[in-house]
Amino acid sequence: MTRPQPTAEAIMRTGMGFQASKTLLSAVELGVFTELAVRPAGLAELRERLGLHPRGARDFLDALVALGFLRRVDDVYHNTEETAAHLDRAKPAYAHSGGMLDMANGRLYRIWADLTDSLRTGAAHDESADGDLDTYDALYADPVRLKQFLASMTGISHAANTRIARQVPWKDYGTVADLGTAQGDLVVQVLLANPHLSGIGFDLPAAAPVFEEYAAENGLRDRLAFVGGDFFTDDFPRADVVTFGHVLHNWDLEKKKLLLRKAWDALPEGGAVIVYDSLVDDDRSENAFALLMSLTMLVVTDGGFGYTAAECTGWMAEAGFSRSWSEHLIGPDSIVIGIK
């Protein structure tokens, strides 16, 4: 029996996947889903509302239909349930989905274009590439880009943050310090779900206004404070629990281990460090999201990389933690907990 010849369908779908990606990202940038949330519209009206040139408008909108992001009924364009819920700038959920896509469009899309060079040289192609500042000093020096970046961190982390707020036995603790807190969504979700806790968000001082605004929006001004500093040169705030949410993957091995040693120093006996990231599976063959995220660290940081749960528990043991274990959170994210 003749075996069917393999096809190139999956190869071409992935190889040309940037076309669908950029079509969606441009739609978010142009406000397509926000406009249609106000009122569905036909081609001519929607083209005018969005400021689109006649040449590409119809193909652009119909491509969004074919990709499953819009519906067209009797020549009138509508959002789908998903895009109406997550990509309308007037909806609260936009901060968690649209914010990440804004950052992907404005920052990551262009940086990823230089992946081949990063693979050959090991050099990043982020904001630090043209100057003397490192990755995060360069990023935090631009207030507009910083606000977008911090909001995008909420977007990519929110589902895991809400899970951590309920999955960890917080009843055993009284205080939590979130290190590299960004906008602060991890510690915000933990405090919202656990009224007995008080918390600290620790990050570079430039993050303070964005953090404090987010804490106030969530009614946590009395239980949540911001502490500015550099976690490589300054002492960590002392707390019963220290958290790193989507943080360790940003740094090289030496710095990863340094952060865990400093966490151990900041904790009381019985305290806990909580690390979560999109962890690479131990066989390094299944969690494609985590492996692609590790490649993102290649192009946007000076030494960052993804890692497995087994690697992280080993680093925790080196830092002095008496026991550690990992648990799945949600989607590609997992948690590693170490006890002092």
Side-chain angles (χ1 to χ4, degrees):
M1 185 176 185
T2 304
R3 295 178 62 183
Q5 290 296 309
T7 73
E9 182 179 349
I11 294 171
M12 297 306 295
R13 183 169 59 248
T14 299
M16 302 302 291
F18 67 91
Q19 296 174 316
S21 173
K22 192 63 177 78
T23 298
L24 175 60
L25 295 177
S26 289
V28 174
E29 181 181 6
L30 289 164
V32 171
F33 309 107
T34 302
E35 283 293 329
L36 289 176
V38 174
R39 185 177 70 253
L43 174 62
E45 178 188 341
L46 188 55
R47 188 184 70 209
E48 182 176 349
R49 285 163 60 186
L50 294 172
L52 301 180
H53 190 280
R55 183 180 176 200
R58 184 177 185 183
D59 286 347
F60 172 60
L61 295 170
D62 287 346
L64 290 167
V65 173
L67 290 167
F69 301 121
L70 292 181
R71 295 183 300 113
R72 190 185 64 241
V73 181
D74 297 329
D75 293 327
V76 174
Y77 293 96
H78 303 253
N79 283 327
T80 65
E81 289 185 9
E82 292 79 10
T83 56
H86 296 285
L87 297 181
D88 172 10
R89 293 180 188 273
K91 300 278 179 57
Y94 184 88
H96 308 312
S97 301
M100 183 60 192
L101 295 184
D102 284 335
M103 193 271 285
N105 190 44
R107 182 171 183 252
L108 291 184
Y109 191 87
R110 289 162 179 79
I111 294 173
W112 260 79
D114 291 314
L115 174 63
T116 303
D117 185 73
S118 291
L119 289 168
R120 287 175 172 151
T121 67
H125 283 275
D126 67 314
E127 295 82 359
S128 68
D130 297 324
D132 297 328
L133 298 175
D134 72 12
T135 299
Y136 289 98
D137 286 337
L139 182 59
Y140 276 52
D142 181 340
V144 174
R145 184 167 288 181
L146 173 61
K147 186 171 184 178
Q148 181 190 70
F149 171 75
L150 297 182
S152 74
M153 292 302 96
T154 294
I156 198 171
S157 303
H158 183 72
N161 293 343
T162 56
R163 182 65 64 91
I164 288 170
R166 292 165 175 79
Q167 187 166 323
V168 173
W170 294 103
K171 61 181 176 56
D172 299 332
Y173 305 104
T175 56
V176 55
D178 183 34
L179 306 178
T181 194
Q183 194 174 27
D185 190 62
L186 174 53
V187 69
V188 162
Q189 298 309 319
V190 168
L191 265 59
L192 288 175
N194 300 275
H196 70 285
L197 288 174
S198 60
I200 291 170
F202 184 87
D203 211 316
L204 293 172
V210 178
F211 177 94
E212 289 167 351
E213 179 183 5
Y214 194 65
E217 287 174 359
N218 284 277
L220 293 172
R221 187 174 291 169
D222 294 339
R223 291 197 288 136
L224 182 57
F226 181 86
V227 175
D230 182 326
F231 53 30
F232 294 115
T233 58
D234 297 321
D235 291 337
F236 288 173
R238 293 194 171 273
D240 298 332
V241 180
V242 167
T243 60
F244 296 101
H246 287 155
V247 168
L248 285 194
H249 67 187
N250 293 297
W251 308 105
D252 61 32
L253 180 58
E254 181 181 347
K255 289 180 177 177
K256 283 176 168 67
K257 291 183 176 183
L258 173 62
L259 292 177
L260 290 172
R261 287 197 301 270
K262 293 185 71 171
W264 191 93
D265 290 339
L267 291 168
E269 200 70 25
V273 62
I274 295 175
V275 170
Y276 87 85
D277 261 319
S278 298
L279 297 182
V280 177
D281 58 287
D282 288 342
D283 190 54
R284 299 182 55 82
S285 62
E286 297 178 7
N287 193 343
F289 184 94
L291 289 163
L292 293 174
M293 182 61 72
S294 190
L295 289 178
T296 295
M297 295 303 104
L298 170 68
V299 294
V300 303
T301 71
D302 296 326
F305 62 92
Y307 54 94
T308 67
E311 289 171 324
C312 190
T313 56
W315 303 331
M316 287 183 178
E318 285 185 41
F321 289 94
S322 60
R323 59 189 178 95
S324 60
W325 68 93
S326 65
E327 301 174 6
H328 179 250
L329 281 175
I330 188 170
D333 283 331
S334 293
I335 191 172
V336 184
I337 300 173
I339 305 297
K340 180 171 177 177

